[in-house]
Amino acid sequence: MTVYPECVELTDVCLRDGLQNLETPIPTEEKIVLAEKLIEAGFNSMELCSFVSPKWIPQMADAANVVETVKKLDKAHKVRFIALIPNLKGMERAVASGVDAVTYVISVSERHNINNVNRSCAESFAQIKELKKIQPQEMTLCLALATSFGCPYGENISPECVLNAVRTGLEFGADEIMLADTIGAANPAMIERVLEAVLKFLPPDRLKLHLHDTRGLAMANYLVAAQMGIYRFEASAGGLGGCPYAPGATGNAASEDLNCMFTEMGIKTGVNQEKLLKAVAYIDSILPGCTTSSNWKRISGAPMRISCGA
Ligand code: COA
Ligand code: ZN
């Protein structure tokens, strides 16, 4: 019989990956309400924002304000707050904000890295040393390897490319690694191949997975990863999101789908599905038509009957 982790750690990334693609600025107050609802749902890990150039991503211009306000909501400090950073300036801003962890993004694909952060992969890797110099002891530096399963510009991404990036990142001092399927190109066999290679270098407690659901394969991909002992996953409430520098990339995997799958399988997530659906309903109210929540709306209020073989 397949062995699964007893519990999994879900990080909601809606406030960053979910919102970054939207042209209409979302008022800071609405971001705070959403954060409050996600905390209330029980996420003990959340990505709140990115400290990137406001010229590139105007939606994140209020990042410092969001972190400052949301931290005050979590008086018992139960939640690990994360911010994405693209460079040293982002790290300086993240340190000043007091987030618990940063996600430093480098793409496995050279072209995507240039389009996303305006520098070569080698330059991005070399900068990890500079980040380490100002990293507070209690802060975690997670290296997110974007385009780990496919590149929007057609570059060939093999498991060896990913493995090389993982090893380079660890050599430069990343505390943990996240493999990101930026455009939703992965399938379960690819996940298995890449994770098999990476797990030889890194224990599951230092590895995270961030998947997009472009082709409806995200849940199958998460499941295969869980079967391999991976238990730290990122997803976005309402399936909101997409990378502005990855043409064609659609939404993230939905946190509510992932939470439903694991919870109904008896795997603890710590996240209350009903409360999470309330957060999704709030997103629907401020961003009508942007979430993937229509199926949930149809069944909410009527518990699904689950029968074997049906
Ligand atoms: N936060 C705020 N401002 C920043 C910044 C940061 N992290 N990094 C650079 N800047 C500012 C500089 O101070 C400078 O400002 P000025 O014109 O007022 O002097 C300006 O941006 C240009 O700086 P430069 O270092 O030349 O940046 P760039 O134009 O080469 O852009 C990045 C590099 C990394 C800042 C930009 O590509 C970026 O923000 N990318 C993020 C993309 C993203 O979020 N993708 C989705 C998530 S993976
Ligand atoms: Zn993403």
Side-chain angles (χ1 to χ4, degrees), residues 44 47 54 96 114 138 152 182 232 253 262:
N44 58 17
E47 191 174 52
I114 291 166
E138 61 283 3
T182 312
R232 304 178 66 205
F262 284 135

Side-chain angles (χ1 to χ4, degrees), residues 16-215:
R16 195 276 303 173
D17 210 357
L19 300 184
Q20 70 182 10
N21 229 4
L22 300 172
E23 274 172 27
T24 326
I26 308 296
T28 308
E29 304 72 50
E30 293 184 356
K31 295 182 184 178
I32 307 297
V33 174
L34 176 55
E36 200 169 11
K37 289 183 186 298
L38 292 170
I39 295 172
E40 178 66 24
F43 286 99
N44 58 17
S45 174
M46 278 169 58
E47 191 174 52
L48 291 184
C49 62
S50 55
F51 288 109
V52 295
S53 163
K55 284 182 195 143
W56 285 55
I57 313 279
Q59 189 64 260
M60 293 291 134
D62 60 354
N65 206 347
V66 169
V67 174
E68 190 188 346
T69 315
V70 174
K71 274 177 68 183
K72 286 186 197 143
L73 299 174
D74 177 37
K75 291 194 185 69
H77 201 166
K78 284 193 193 147
V79 188
R80 277 178 69 68
F81 292 121
I82 306 169
L84 181 138
I85 58 164
N87 59 8
L88 182 60
K89 176 147 191 187
M91 183 65 160
E92 286 163 357
R93 294 175 64 206
V95 171
S97 79
V99 284
D100 303 292
V102 287
T103 297
Y104 177 58
V105 62
I106 305 180
S107 309
V108 180
S109 147
E110 187 75 31
R111 257 190 88 186
H112 185 261
N113 205 62
I114 291 166
N115 278 289
N116 197 37
V117 294
N118 205 20
R119 65 189 59 191
S120 69
C121 295
E123 286 170 310
S124 281
F125 276 112
Q127 189 149 80
I128 300 177
K129 275 193 180 159
E130 305 306 313
L131 307 184
K132 295 298 286 182
K133 285 183 191 158
I134 60 164
Q135 177 187 4
Q137 221 186 351
E138 61 283 3
M139 181 193 260
T140 306
L141 170 55
C142 175
L143 169 62
L145 294 172
T147 64
S148 278
F149 300 92
C151 161
Y153 307 105
E155 244 177 71
N156 180 36
I157 309 291
S158 65
E160 291 70 37
C161 300
V162 180
L163 195 58
N164 280 341
V166 169
R167 289 165 68 173
T168 310
L170 293 173
E171 276 160 22
F172 275 110
D175 301 316
E176 55 190 41
I177 301 286
M178 180 156 64
L179 302 180
D181 185 14
T182 312
I183 55 167
N187 63 52
M190 278 163 82
I191 295 277
E192 198 175 342
R193 265 199 307 276
V194 172
L195 287 180
E196 216 165 64
V198 171
L199 282 169
K200 291 192 180 123
F201 286 88
L202 206 62
D205 59 334
R206 292 177 68 196
L207 195 55
K208 289 177 93 175
L209 202 59
H210 170 114
L211 303 178
H212 283 237
D213 201 26
T214 317
R215 304 175 306 148

Side-chain angles (χ1 to χ4, degrees), residues 184-290:
N187 63 52
M190 278 163 82
I191 295 277
E192 198 175 342
R193 265 199 307 276
V194 172
L195 287 180
E196 216 165 64
V198 171
L199 282 169
K200 291 192 180 123
F201 286 88
L202 206 62
D205 59 334
R206 292 177 68 196
L207 195 55
K208 289 177 93 175
L209 202 59
H210 170 114
L211 303 178
H212 283 237
D213 201 26
T214 317
R215 304 175 306 148
L217 295 180
M219 290 306 126
N221 293 338
Y222 282 119
L223 193 66
V224 167
Q227 287 168 355
M228 298 178 76
I230 306 299
Y231 63 92
R232 304 178 66 205
F233 301 112
E234 289 199 347
S236 173
L240 215 60
C243 173
Y245 301 102
T250 57
N252 289 70
S255 293
E256 58 275 24
D257 293 348
L258 194 55
N259 190 49
C260 168
M261 177 173 79
F262 284 135
T263 308
E264 291 196 359
M265 288 172 70
I267 298 167
K268 293 187 191 73
T269 67
V271 176
N272 178 301
Q273 184 73 353
E274 267 180 45
K275 290 183 178 169
L276 172 52
L277 290 176
K278 283 189 182 150
V280 176
Y282 178 70
I283 303 172
D284 272 332
S285 74
I286 57 171
L287 293 166
C290 288

